[in-house]
Amino acid sequence: MRRAEIVAALVLAAGAAILVREALRLPVGWTSIGPGSGFFPFWLSIGVAIAAAAIVMKSVRVPATPGRDAPFIRTTAWKPLLIAFLPMVAVIAALRYLGIYIGGGLYLAGYMTFVGRHRWISTILVSVLIPVALFFIFERWFILPMPKGRLLEYLLYER
Amino acid sequence: MVRWPLLRVALSVSLTVLLVVIAVPVSSGPAFTPRRPIEWTIPAGTGGGADQQARFMAPVIAKHNLSPQPFIPVNRPAGAGAQAFLWMIDKSGDPHTILITLDNLFATPQAQVIRRRDGGRFSWRDLTPIARLLLDNFVLWVHADSPWKTLAEFERAAKAAPRGSVKMAGTGSKQEDEIIMVLLEQAWGVDFNYIPFAGGGAVAAALVGKQVEFTVNNPLEAVGHWEGGRVRPLAIFAPERVQFAQWKDIPTMKELGLNIEYQMLRGVFGTADMPREAVAFYVDLFRKLMDTEEMADFIQRGAFTKAFLTGPEFVRWLEAKDASVRGLMQKGGLVAP
Amino acid sequence: MDILSVFDNLLYGLGVALTPANLIIAVAGLILGTAIGVLPGLGGTNGVALLLPLTFSLTPTAAIILLASVYWGSLFGGAITSILFNIPGEPWSVATTFDGHPLAQQGKPGIALTAAFTSSFIGAFVSIILFTFFAPPLAEWALKFGPPENFAVLMLAFATFTGLGGGDPAKTIFMTLLGLLLSTVGFDIVSGQPRMHFGFVALQSGVNFIVIAIGLFGLGEIFLTVEEGLRLKGIAGRIGFRDLWETWKMFPRYWATIVRGTILGFWIGVLPGTGATPASFMSYGLAKQFSKNSERFGKGEVEGVVAPETAAHAAGIGALLPMITLGIPGSPTAAVMLAGFFIWGLNPGALLFQTQREFVWGLIGSMYIANVIGVIIVLTMVPLFAAINRIPFGVLAPLIVILSSIGAFAVNNQPLDLWIMLGSGVAGYIFRKLKYPLAPLVVALVLGEMTEQALRQSLIMGQGSPAIFITRPIALVFMAASAFLFLLPAIRSYRRRGPGVPHQATAELEG
């Protein structure tokens, strides 16, 4: 945990430096009508950098606990975390093709199978019915267009 | 000799496929009818003028059965319209996406450089013009309790006041309202204090609450306050008086000896490279829409100038409008470096 | 207006609202609105905008009753996802997640929901009475609030939040500043310049805090639960109507919080420049400062649900006041309703009260009726909503992910927001594990934009001089009050410990 604390604080400090750089592209001074557009971003990012530096200092000063430092994520926790996380990345990355309904249905089916270990029949029912219900709610009744993806667009409108 | 027929079959199959691929867009025919809901992009947030109009017109279109598919207003307010404009380029060729515009179509690309995905600089020429529907007017409003009954009295007061002590509220920054203020400043040789607000409603509220001395709100944004006796119109920035009941008594700037004119485009654009048949469909649809009773009523209440225009004349008008906005913004020092 | 004519008009309005047709419309609107509030991405603003076309064929009175009922319904519904899934459906239900979700996790979703609905109702009902009797003078008063006054009110909101973080002061300061910094991303309204966008056009609309909150709270929570890997079965909590009675028994204890939340919410809702969100945060912050069990806040304290919900619903009512009396939208939802006025052939403005008696008093009458019916509807559904907590995690988790994505996308209709949501989810997970407080970040993100805008508008009005905050009497009063609140924790600990240990006192303030 101590190492994770230090690493996180260092990453945040580095991030703050990037923010300072982005803020410097704007006028950061005090103009005739009050602060310029970069005034707040600049001083806030300086403040963020100082706070991050303070967290780094503090976390370094905490004496290391005797024995092995507890890991940030237990080795046994990696697998369930990645099973939840990586498919999310994949579905969002493929949003253009799958859309939210088909992509969401696949995610639901996958998660129910590999984590929930539900029976295949309920898995199929749930992962088909929920996206279909959502489709009708958002696209048909509330006419709120969501990304439908190439496949669904083709099935709905191009045939 | 087994190879020949195989090759021939392969050739003819690929030829047919090629033909079908080429033929499909052509065979979509001269008449276009939408096959799916039409997405009506609004380059501004909910509650603003463009939003109100799209949300007003969409149900009128449905009520008069002008389209077999519904029109769905979708707000894309990012970057003072930039997000919506780029969206219309991303949707290139799509006949089911249109855009309602306000003058940020001209002002935003001047105030900042919007880059297309291919690196070129965006301008309205990247979109497909469909029609000009209305021109929105601007009126100079002061508070009803103020001593200024005429533009001349206001001018005298503005010139007598110390620099920057007369405050004006306006929508956004480097857009229509500020352009008009700069024109007034240059005509009178005065210096106003421009305070940007997020929307027309907030601007009107600032005047009613006496936070500022004047605004150039659109008629629709201020009509309720006028009827309630809280604000007073001094002049309209239109080329001629608006010929509706209460509005026709407001003199134009020209009559009062000031050569300042500004009207805002309320028009419709299609995606980049929208098929010609689709453009024809929308032109026809909006022409019919403009003749409905509901629109006539809306035009009167909002003191709009009805200005339906399409085709090459519309494009010519757009060129002139663009040049004039650019000129005004250069004059006012509002363009991107 | 004298009192008698108000009663006369009110009776007339109740009569209008109680005609069978209007009653049916109100019930339909309420049910629809609750569904809209539950579904992420479909907030009150969206819901009202989507229903606007349907009102074309109705009379103006029926139309405004429908839209207003949808709005009340969505206010009730917004609390449901906050409590059950830790996903705030609306900006003002963020504060409801702070204590509502921990309660649900402890197997008491029924109590959290009942507390939310009941306090919403009380806040709304008292506000409606205030609305009925004092609408015109209050609207006059609200007009006196320009940018300097709004800035002073927002300072007051920040002041109520000192000490919210707890734990490491460096981390609290870091998160607050980061939230403020995120709020500067996007278009600078004063200069018209896009800023802090790293070259992404999609970032120019700013980082929407609903997207961030869905990620930080909703997805972050899922990652934490997954890691613990314990409860694949869902939480078994007691379900039934017994929760209602049990929650109501607690309510008399919270009378001070309820009164404070209602007054704060209603009054801030009436101000056109601010709205329900700061009201809910202020109410929560003050409840925590004045509560005897302030250390229990954030861990599942019922009072922490009561405070923001009372204020949010009171503000929802208050926001309609400037709309009806002056034609000025007090919130985004009111702005969309105002668009409806034109569709129905009405001009919003001060004349409505005189010329459109049926419309105005029909709406006020329906506020009474619809809120009573609304709270009955949602309370009868408490067991049903609470049962959602029992859905096995293997189904619930991916379902929350899908609903979160829809909600995040619907805010600005742009795919980049899904990545921002996912990134915030990971950040939320890491921050929670390393004990970085999330609440200050979200509060700062929400209030930051309004605050900077009000500050810079004020400075322009004062031609660069900050003296404008002390020369305007209303602004001065609020600035003084917020200065007092900022110093309150220090004063308290100084008096508790006695003089001579000032160093300790400042440490307390930061903690």
Side-chain angles (χ1 to χ4, degrees), chain C residues 34-124:
Chain C
T34 313
I36 285 169
V38 172
L39 293 168
L42 276 176
T45 313
N46 257 325
V48 171
L50 293 169
L51 283 175
L52 208 49
L54 293 183
T55 63
F56 229 102
S57 45
L58 300 174
T59 65
T61 311
I64 191 76
I65 289 178
L66 175 68
L67 295 191
S69 302
V70 168
Y71 185 34
W72 314 139
S74 75
L75 283 172
F76 279 121
I80 297 169
T81 44
S82 303
I83 290 169
L84 295 179
F85 303 153
N86 214 20
I87 305 177
E90 305 268 5
W92 48 82
S93 27
V94 170
T96 311
T97 62
F98 296 165
D99 282 280
H101 188 64
L103 273 170
Q105 277 186 318
Q106 291 155 20
K108 297 181 223 161
I111 289 182
L113 289 166
T114 312
F117 296 150
T118 313
S119 45
S120 284
F121 171 74
I122 298 174

Side-chain angles (χ1 to χ4, degrees), chain C residues 184-506:
Chain C
T184 66
V185 173
F187 246 75
D188 171 28
I189 179 177
V190 173
S191 68
Q193 265 177 320
R195 54 181 182 173
M196 307 302 282
H197 54 81
F198 296 95
F200 289 99
V201 173
L203 275 185
Q204 289 186 5
S205 60
V207 185
N208 188 287
F209 100 99
I210 277 288
V211 176
I212 299 262
I214 285 176
L216 281 180
F217 293 114
L219 289 190
E221 180 74 28
I222 288 189
F223 292 139
L224 281 177
T225 318
V226 162
E227 184 185 18
E228 284 159 16
L230 299 174
R231 352 173 311 237
L232 286 180
K233 289 263 181 291
I235 311 162
R238 199 185 56 242
I239 289 166
F241 287 104
R242 230 181 335 145
D243 282 344
L244 298 190
W245 177 237
E246 224 161 83
T247 316
W248 288 341
K249 268 197 305 195
M250 290 187 249
F251 262 67
R253 240 183 286 162
Y254 306 133
W255 67 272
T257 298
I258 292 172
V259 169
R260 194 170 46 229
T262 307
I263 293 172
L264 253 180
F266 180 66
W267 168 68
I268 291 181
V270 170
L271 301 180
T274 42
T277 316
S280 67
F281 284 130
M282 277 166 95
S283 176
Y284 183 90
L286 285 176
K288 185 181 172 179
Q289 283 206 356
F290 288 106
S291 170
K292 268 174 242 128
N293 344 323
S294 66
E295 71 292 338
R296 298 238 326 115
F297 273 64
K299 296 172 191 130
E301 170 66 41
V302 175
E303 197 174 357
V305 177
V306 171
E309 283 294 316
T310 321
H313 220 126
I317 303 281
L320 293 195
L321 195 148
M323 178 186 93
I324 288 292
T325 49
L326 301 168
I328 294 166
S331 71
T333 314
V336 179
M337 285 189 193
L338 269 182
F341 282 43
F342 300 115
I343 295 181
W344 312 322
L346 297 174
N347 280 342
L351 282 189
L352 274 183
F353 253 97
Q354 292 149 37
T355 56
Q356 302 288 338
R357 187 167 178 239
E358 186 195 341
F359 180 81
V360 171
W361 289 98
L363 170 64
I364 294 176
S366 88
M367 288 183 183
Y368 286 91
I369 310 290
N371 273 290
V372 172
I373 300 174
V375 77
I376 295 172
I377 292 177
V378 289
L379 282 176
T380 50
M381 290 201 287
V382 162
L384 180 76
F385 291 132
I388 292 175
N389 237 13
R390 288 199 169 169
I391 296 176
F393 187 74
V395 182
L396 193 60
L399 188 60
I400 293 176
V401 173
I402 296 171
L403 288 177
S404 299
S405 312
I406 291 179
F409 185 85
V411 171
N412 273 324
N413 293 301
Q414 56 188 18
L416 181 71
D417 281 343
L418 292 182
W419 292 111
I420 295 178
M421 171 195 79
L422 195 59
S424 316
V426 175
Y429 166 76
I430 295 172
F431 282 149
R432 285 268 290 272
K433 288 201 78 169
L434 295 176
K435 301 204 164 56
Y436 285 71
L438 297 182
L441 182 140
V442 178
V443 177
L445 175 57
V446 180
L447 301 183
E449 192 184 348
M450 283 186 230
T451 311
E452 192 199 345
Q453 194 179 320
L455 172 62
R456 290 176 61 197
Q457 284 172 335
S458 309
L459 288 170
I460 294 177
M461 287 175 80
Q463 294 179 282
S465 158
I468 192 163
F469 296 115
I470 46 175
T471 53
R472 294 172 57 127
I474 301 179
L476 177 64
V477 169
F478 285 106
M479 290 304 261
S482 46
F484 172 73
L485 270 179
F486 268 122
L487 295 174
L488 188 64
I491 296 169
R492 274 189 180 164
S493 66
Y494 182 82
R495 286 173 70 190
R496 212 179 309 140
R497 286 155 209 242
V501 256
H503 187 73
Q504 292 279 20
T506 42

Side-chain angles (χ1 to χ4, degrees), chain B residues 54-82:
Chain B
R55 289 187 194 282
F56 174 79
M57 286 190 252
V60 181
I61 291 170
K63 190 180 170 193
H64 290 271
N65 277 326
L66 297 178
S67 160
Q69 295 279 352
F71 280 57
I72 303 169
V74 177
N75 300 84
R76 291 200 163 76

